[in-house]
Amino acid sequence: AAVTDLTDYWNGLGRTLDPSVFKPGSTYSFSAMAMQNTTASEHFKLSLEYNDASGTQSWDTIAEADGSKGEWVQLENTEYTIPAGASGMTLYVETDETTTPFFVDEAVGGVKGAKYTADVVKPTEAPTEAPTEAKTDAPTEEKPVEPSLYGDVDLNKKVDILDVIVLNKSLMVGEKLSDVAKANADVDRNRSINETDSLNILKYIVELIPSLPTGDVTVNPKEDPTEVPTEAVKVTDKSYMSTLTVNPDLPAGSGSKKGGINYSTPQKITYHSTVANRDKEANVVLPPDYDPSKKYPVMYVNHGIMGGCGDLLGEGWGIEYTAANLAAEGKAKPMILVFTSMYTNPNSAFCTGVTLEECKHYDAFREDLIECLMPYINEHYSTATGRENTAVCGFSMGGRESLYIGITKPDIFGYVACGCPAPGVTPGSDFAGNHPGNMQESELKITDAANQPYVLFLAGGTNDTVVGQFPQNYHKLLTTNGQEHLWLEVQGGGHDASVVAPMMYNFLQYAFKG
């Protein structure tokens, strides 16, 4: 891969480390190859960026070496211990105090003491443009090629660490795979070969999973789980979320109507909820110049406790205007906004107070949303489906439920934002009483490696007198649990649009681009 257009010396090529494979406090072998064609000599570093146990961003040098012009140099440390308590770990190859363009190949990590012999092809020219991520194409034949053995990418009739290396070389530098190798590599059978397949093969090899995840079919079940890999393994790509920067500043007029934009009028819809055993309402805001022949991603917007589907509409919150304005500027994708009615009680249509019992009827909205409202929206509007096209966000109780939904249903919602989230996702106490929590603090994370969020975004204000420190507490728990997320703390922000408006200004731009 070529690393070009550096704006500072610490810019480089990054790959995230999966904490379920590379465990903090444990020792591993890491290696990477680097080469430059510009200067007589360049100092390269293999570094680890991570958050320490307190949540502070930290850096550590794993290996470093000088490389002469036109010659590959290996950055290797066969006994590097990842700092205990580390989270949000990213492995980087970078230069030392220069912006020289360079090449990277064979960035690998493996068990302690593993040695790796690199096999790189020397480029003839210095990189001149930013790299594009290499992908392997799914078989193009009308009838898919049948796999000979799932996970056997190098076609040696067994599944081992070499298959991970071959697959990752194909993903990173575009090395060609045969049709059978592609079929074997597609272990989740979704007709697309990516880093998830590589990670699943790796987990299978190191006994983290008993068989390869191929839907309802058990493939290659393990008979002897005692064997441990001795070769190096490829590090996964840097996540989309890690490339994002939260901007706390809200441009003037971003949430107001502007001339020249064809804003849509909210459409009040009624759908039947089998969960609530009654009809419920929602407001749908279509993108400007909505075209039924096109498919649009959908963002579900959740209100606070005692509220309804009209609460977050209009001036003040400005969510639908911000979405339209950003789309007109080319900064956000045109999308369908659905403002929900969360209260899901089969015995009543109205919340009677802020009590622990009533909070349960907001938690029940998760099933109502997935089983009733989403099917209605997909049937009546031109929607793009799949987690990559589905977002959930909200304010206060809506922020709590968005966090709960995002953590427990990551296979459905790829984008999640929680403004001033109320207590109750994990145990906690407030004026409503002692919330037992929908999960324990240690469970506030997404364990499904194949469905990590494209964006998980939390925001809170330093002057929120309603939910107090609960937004910050959720942020700290996610950090402690190693769950990647974005955090926005609005100085002086209260329990209102002063927090939600800047959060949505960022989130609307990030959504559906991962």
Side-chain angles (χ1 to χ4, degrees), residues 391-420:
V392 63
C393 60
F395 162 67
S396 193
M397 179 59 78
R400 159 182 157 161
E401 298 310 327
S402 297
L403 180 59
Y404 172 50
I405 291 168
I407 292 292
T408 57
K409 295 295 181 180
D411 57 322
I412 298 176
F413 301 91
Y415 297 86
V416 183
C418 318
C420 309

Tab-separated table of all heavy atoms in Angstrom, residues 391-420:
chain	number	residue	atom	x	y	z
A	391	ALA	N	-30.125	3.774	10.560
A	391	ALA	CA	-29.587	4.489	11.714
A	391	ALA	C	-30.673	4.676	12.757
A	391	ALA	O	-31.863	4.753	12.436
A	391	ALA	CB	-29.022	5.850	11.294
A	392	VAL	N	-30.266	4.768	14.016
A	392	VAL	CA	-31.176	5.087	15.103
A	392	VAL	C	-30.498	6.113	15.997
A	392	VAL	O	-29.296	6.020	16.269
A	392	VAL	CB	-31.578	3.820	15.891
A	392	VAL	CG1	-30.373	3.170	16.557
A	392	VAL	CG2	-32.666	4.127	16.910
A	393	CYS	N	-31.255	7.110	16.425
A	393	CYS	CA	-30.699	8.157	17.269
A	393	CYS	C	-31.807	8.718	18.142
A	393	CYS	O	-32.990	8.438	17.924
A	393	CYS	CB	-30.060	9.268	16.428
A	393	CYS	SG	-31.211	10.102	15.307
A	394	GLY	N	-31.444	9.512	19.143
A	394	GLY	CA	-32.484	10.060	19.990
A	394	GLY	C	-31.949	10.942	21.092
A	394	GLY	O	-30.742	11.085	21.292
A	395	PHE	N	-32.907	11.517	21.839
A	395	PHE	CA	-32.630	12.472	22.903
A	395	PHE	C	-33.211	11.967	24.213
A	395	PHE	O	-34.349	11.482	24.255
A	395	PHE	CB	-33.234	13.832	22.545
A	395	PHE	CG	-33.392	14.778	23.713
A	395	PHE	CD1	-32.284	15.294	24.367
A	395	PHE	CD2	-34.655	15.145	24.160
A	395	PHE	CE1	-32.427	16.158	25.443
A	395	PHE	CE2	-34.814	16.013	25.236
A	395	PHE	CZ	-33.685	16.520	25.880
A	396	SER	N	-32.425	12.055	25.295
A	396	SER	CA	-32.865	11.719	26.640
A	396	SER	C	-33.297	10.252	26.724
A	396	SER	O	-32.471	9.355	26.528
A	396	SER	CB	-33.977	12.669	27.076
A	396	SER	OG	-34.213	12.544	28.464
A	397	MET	N	-34.589	9.968	26.979
A	397	MET	CA	-35.036	8.584	26.948
A	397	MET	C	-34.811	7.988	25.555
A	397	MET	O	-34.467	6.805	25.413
A	397	MET	CB	-36.514	8.482	27.340
A	397	MET	CG	-37.072	7.056	27.320
A	397	MET	SD	-36.205	5.913	28.433
A	397	MET	CE	-36.929	6.381	30.009
A	398	GLY	N	-34.975	8.810	24.527
A	398	GLY	CA	-34.677	8.354	23.169
A	398	GLY	C	-33.205	8.052	22.966
A	398	GLY	O	-32.842	7.177	22.185
A	399	GLY	N	-32.331	8.777	23.688
A	399	GLY	CA	-30.910	8.482	23.652
A	399	GLY	C	-30.599	7.179	24.359
A	399	GLY	O	-29.781	6.379	23.898
A	400	ARG	N	-31.270	6.958	25.491
A	400	ARG	CA	-31.103	5.691	26.210
A	400	ARG	C	-31.515	4.523	25.332
A	400	ARG	O	-30.786	3.528	25.216
A	400	ARG	CB	-31.929	5.711	27.492
A	400	ARG	CG	-32.240	4.319	28.050
A	400	ARG	CD	-33.096	4.362	29.288
A	400	ARG	NE	-33.809	3.104	29.494
A	400	ARG	CZ	-34.340	2.722	30.650
A	400	ARG	NH1	-34.234	3.499	31.716
A	400	ARG	NH2	-35.002	1.582	30.759
A	401	GLU	N	-32.706	4.624	24.727
A	401	GLU	CA	-33.190	3.506	23.919
A	401	GLU	C	-32.350	3.313	22.653
A	401	GLU	O	-32.162	2.191	22.193
A	401	GLU	CB	-34.664	3.702	23.566
A	401	GLU	CG	-35.588	3.753	24.765
A	401	GLU	CD	-35.384	2.601	25.740
A	401	GLU	OE1	-35.038	1.485	25.301
A	401	GLU	OE2	-35.547	2.823	26.953
A	402	SER	N	-31.832	4.392	22.092
A	402	SER	CA	-30.959	4.260	20.920
A	402	SER	C	-29.682	3.520	21.280
A	402	SER	O	-29.196	2.675	20.512
A	402	SER	CB	-30.637	5.642	20.338
A	402	SER	OG	-31.808	6.278	19.868
A	403	LEU	N	-29.125	3.810	22.469
A	403	LEU	CA	-27.933	3.103	22.926
A	403	LEU	C	-28.247	1.629	23.171
A	403	LEU	O	-27.491	0.736	22.748
A	403	LEU	CB	-27.389	3.756	24.194
A	403	LEU	CG	-26.128	3.124	24.801
A	403	LEU	CD1	-24.978	3.130	23.816
A	403	LEU	CD2	-25.745	3.856	26.093
A	404	TYR	N	-29.364	1.364	23.845
A	404	TYR	CA	-29.795	-0.013	24.111
A	404	TYR	C	-30.010	-0.778	22.811
A	404	TYR	O	-29.543	-1.918	22.645
A	404	TYR	CB	-31.077	0.043	24.934
A	404	TYR	CG	-31.773	-1.282	25.149
A	404	TYR	CD1	-31.089	-2.410	25.602
A	404	TYR	CD2	-33.139	-1.389	24.917
A	404	TYR	CE1	-31.747	-3.608	25.806
A	404	TYR	CE2	-33.811	-2.585	25.120
A	404	TYR	CZ	-33.117	-3.695	25.568
A	404	TYR	OH	-33.773	-4.879	25.758
A	405	ILE	N	-30.690	-0.161	21.861
A	405	ILE	CA	-30.961	-0.803	20.578
A	405	ILE	C	-29.667	-1.026	19.805
A	405	ILE	O	-29.429	-2.087	19.231
A	405	ILE	CB	-31.954	0.047	19.753
A	405	ILE	CG1	-33.338	0.024	20.403
A	405	ILE	CG2	-32.038	-0.444	18.314
A	405	ILE	CD1	-34.307	1.056	19.840
A	406	GLY	N	-28.802	-0.018	19.785
A	406	GLY	CA	-27.552	-0.124	19.031
A	406	GLY	C	-26.634	-1.203	19.568
A	406	GLY	O	-25.977	-1.908	18.804
A	407	ILE	N	-26.560	-1.340	20.909
A	407	ILE	CA	-25.687	-2.340	21.522
A	407	ILE	C	-26.236	-3.744	21.312
A	407	ILE	O	-25.473	-4.696	21.074
A	407	ILE	CB	-25.507	-2.054	23.023
A	407	ILE	CG1	-24.704	-0.755	23.243
A	407	ILE	CG2	-24.842	-3.226	23.735
A	407	ILE	CD1	-23.257	-0.848	22.827
A	408	THR	N	-27.551	-3.910	21.389
A	408	THR	CA	-28.140	-5.254	21.332
A	408	THR	C	-28.535	-5.696	19.931
A	408	THR	O	-28.716	-6.897	19.701
A	408	THR	CB	-29.378	-5.329	22.241
A	408	THR	OG1	-30.331	-4.322	21.842
A	408	THR	CG2	-29.000	-5.108	23.696
A	409	LYS	N	-28.661	-4.765	18.988
A	409	LYS	CA	-29.071	-5.124	17.629
A	409	LYS	C	-28.118	-4.523	16.588
A	409	LYS	O	-28.550	-3.858	15.639
A	409	LYS	CB	-30.503	-4.647	17.367
A	409	LYS	CG	-31.557	-5.323	18.238
A	409	LYS	CD	-31.657	-6.818	17.950
A	409	LYS	CE	-32.716	-7.487	18.799
A	409	LYS	NZ	-32.814	-8.947	18.512
A	410	PRO	N	-26.817	-4.773	16.724
A	410	PRO	CA	-25.856	-4.175	15.788
A	410	PRO	C	-25.949	-4.754	14.388
A	410	PRO	O	-25.427	-4.165	13.444
A	410	PRO	CB	-24.498	-4.491	16.425
A	410	PRO	CG	-24.738	-5.775	17.162
A	410	PRO	CD	-26.141	-5.647	17.705
A	411	ASP	N	-26.601	-5.909	14.244
A	411	ASP	CA	-26.776	-6.500	12.919
A	411	ASP	C	-27.842	-5.792	12.110
A	411	ASP	O	-27.938	-5.980	10.891
A	411	ASP	CB	-27.136	-7.983	13.047
A	411	ASP	CG	-28.387	-8.213	13.886
A	411	ASP	OD1	-28.559	-7.489	14.895
A	411	ASP	OD2	-29.182	-9.103	13.555
A	412	ILE	N	-28.637	-4.933	12.769
A	412	ILE	CA	-29.721	-4.212	12.094
A	412	ILE	C	-29.398	-2.732	11.946
A	412	ILE	O	-29.688	-2.123	10.914
A	412	ILE	CB	-31.043	-4.393	12.869
A	412	ILE	CG1	-31.427	-5.886	12.901
A	412	ILE	CG2	-32.176	-3.570	12.246
A	412	ILE	CD1	-32.653	-6.187	13.727
A	413	PHE	N	-28.765	-2.148	12.966
A	413	PHE	CA	-28.488	-0.708	12.976
A	413	PHE	C	-26.975	-0.483	12.947
A	413	PHE	O	-26.267	-0.774	13.919
A	413	PHE	CB	-29.093	-0.053	14.216
A	413	PHE	CG	-30.586	-0.228	14.313
A	413	PHE	CD1	-31.123	-1.307	14.997
A	413	PHE	CD2	-31.451	0.670	13.707
A	413	PHE	CE1	-32.493	-1.490	15.084
A	413	PHE	CE2	-32.822	0.504	13.774
A	413	PHE	CZ	-33.347	-0.586	14.456
A	414	GLY	N	-26.475	0.051	11.828
A	414	GLY	CA	-25.045	0.296	11.697
A	414	GLY	C	-24.610	1.650	12.211
A	414	GLY	O	-23.418	1.876	12.429
A	415	TYR	N	-25.564	2.567	12.405
A	415	TYR	CA	-25.258	3.931	12.835
A	415	TYR	C	-26.136	4.278	14.036
A	415	TYR	O	-27.362	4.139	13.976
A	415	TYR	CB	-25.494	4.928	11.702
A	415	TYR	CG	-24.595	4.694	10.511
A	415	TYR	CD1	-24.944	3.783	9.516
A	415	TYR	CD2	-23.377	5.359	10.396
A	415	TYR	CE1	-24.108	3.544	8.431
A	415	TYR	CE2	-22.538	5.135	9.316
A	415	TYR	CZ	-22.908	4.220	8.340
A	415	TYR	OH	-22.075	3.987	7.276
A	416	VAL	N	-25.508	4.768	15.120
A	416	VAL	CA	-26.214	5.005	16.371
A	416	VAL	C	-25.716	6.311	16.975
A	416	VAL	O	-24.508	6.542	17.049
A	416	VAL	CB	-25.972	3.850	17.370
A	416	VAL	CG1	-26.767	4.080	18.647
A	416	VAL	CG2	-26.323	2.501	16.745
A	417	ALA	N	-26.656	7.167	17.420
A	417	ALA	CA	-26.285	8.407	18.105
A	417	ALA	C	-27.214	8.620	19.292
A	417	ALA	O	-28.426	8.426	19.189
A	417	ALA	CB	-26.349	9.605	17.157
A	418	CYS	N	-26.624	9.036	20.420
A	418	CYS	CA	-27.369	9.128	21.676
A	418	CYS	C	-27.091	10.485	22.318
A	418	CYS	O	-25.994	10.713	22.833
A	418	CYS	CB	-26.953	8.015	22.623
A	418	CYS	SG	-26.736	6.400	21.815
A	419	GLY	N	-28.074	11.374	22.294
A	419	GLY	CA	-27.929	12.685	22.885
A	419	GLY	C	-28.512	12.735	24.283
A	419	GLY	O	-29.675	12.370	24.482
A	420	CYS	N	-27.715	13.144	25.270
A	420	CYS	CA	-28.152	13.230	26.666
A	420	CYS	C	-28.850	11.948	27.110
A	420	CYS	O	-29.950	11.980	27.674
A	420	CYS	CB	-29.095	14.416	26.863
A	420	CYS	SG	-28.506	15.995	26.248
